[in-house]
Amino acid sequence: MSNQANQTNQANQTIQPIYDPAVECATREEIRARQLILMQEQVAWAYERVPFYRQQFDALGLKPQDIRSHADIQRIPFTDKTALRDHYPYGLFAVPLTEIVRLHASTGTTGKPIVVGYTKEDIEQWRYCIMSMMQMAGVVPSDRVQMAFGYGMFTGGFGLHYGAEGLGCMMIPASAGNTERHIMMIEDYGTTVLVATPSYAMHICEVGEQLGFDWAKSQLRVGLFGGEPCPPKLKAAIEGRMHITCTDNYGLTEVMGPGVSGECLSSRDQQHIIEDHFYWEVIDPATQELLPEGSEGELVLTPLQKKGIPVLRYRTHDLTSITCEPCACGRTTARMAKVRSRTDDMLIIRGTNVFPSQVEDVLTGIPGASPHYRLVVDNEAGLDRLTLLLELEPQMFSDAFVEMDDFRHQVGDKLRNTLQLSVKVKLLEPNSIERTMGKSKHVEDLRG
Ligand code: DLL
């Protein structure tokens, strides 16, 4: 390595800017104390302005001033998706509509979407969260950031766009779709950061390869991925084939959108929570009891500075665990393990609980299995049946029947050992599973 290259690399390693060190590097005591004050203000804001919360509190004989400690926060009832659906579209807003400057919505699979509104101040706060998160991922003002999320009601597009602009990056608003154009832009505009779901990034990678594009020669260096889990196999494939660092960021419409947490370059499989904006708890999804630090359970989030639509103790259904140990990057903010599953992802097949993430973990250990798979559940003669449709890596795919049959048995055996359930395995040739521009769908439950 030349001296100059060496210096540049070292500089990249030492210059790890932290967006707001006063907040992100405060002591745990300072962070917790500030969270409590913000929580008290947020509870008062919701109580005074949103009839739904006032009625809930009054029914319990609870007043905002009763929330004096972290322990008291557990007296506040949880909010779930139904509350937002039942008050569609504006019923939980805390300000007159004239103060709302933006609407976003999350499209559920059934029924009405969940609508959220942002005041001018909310938009500023959101931008702050995205800027902190982007700096964690190593994004710097000189980056050229290409957006592959759609600019629509989904929070991904606009949310991340304004954060990148706020940092001073060159924002390339390519939007979702037209994969070949994405590749052309990456090449012609010298894009350095790609914003996408990991599954769409993989698709961009594959189409590029089919067109003969050499990813090693592109200037792309960071993938800012989110909106869905990024299983280890998919991450490894993208990093290896696109020659970039994949980073994961997490969020959900109900509490803001992207910008709840993000991965720093030191602790690669965890994400720092923006704790000045989000109060986190991890509960047992069955008993709703608070779990101790480090235990896996359902993440409950309370946005701490929302004006348009405050949401108290929102049950995300996302499964994670949280640590408050300081991180090598210098941040002291709590870190959540990557979300691999949701409580409502769990399939019950012949009495056995199965999470798609368990299948992904099995596939991670099988060379030749691609990250592209689908689980189909149906019912044959009254008995539930699980089928794995698995795409093979091109070098693995062959028309030699015996070889393919051996591989199929190998996958089936490994799945049976892990899941304690027999799974029918169907091997598919490369590129047979439909690719998506947004969040990928791994499970098809045909049981009705
Ligand atoms: O997906 C917000 C977002 C956009 C986050 C872009 C990051 C980047 P929703 O459409 O409301 O909002 O979906 C939220 O998606 O409860 C998780 O189940 C899942 N999810 C989001 N980010 C991740 C992630 C946006 N990094 C739901 N890893 C959440 C795993 C994620 N799951």
Side-chain angles (χ1 to χ4, degrees), residues 149 154-155 226-229 248-253 318 339 342 439:
F149 285 135
F154 178 55
T155 51
E228 64 175 6
D248 196 356
N249 66 88
Y250 166 86
L252 56 155
T253 313
D318 290 321
V339 171
R342 293 175 50 82
K439 306 189 186 212

Side-chain angles (χ1 to χ4, degrees), residues 258-276:
V260 172
S261 67
E263 180 178 329
C264 73
L265 299 179
S266 300
S267 66
R268 294 300 312 281
D269 282 318
Q270 292 169 325
Q271 294 156 319
H272 287 274
I273 299 178
I274 317 278
E275 283 188 286
D276 227 31

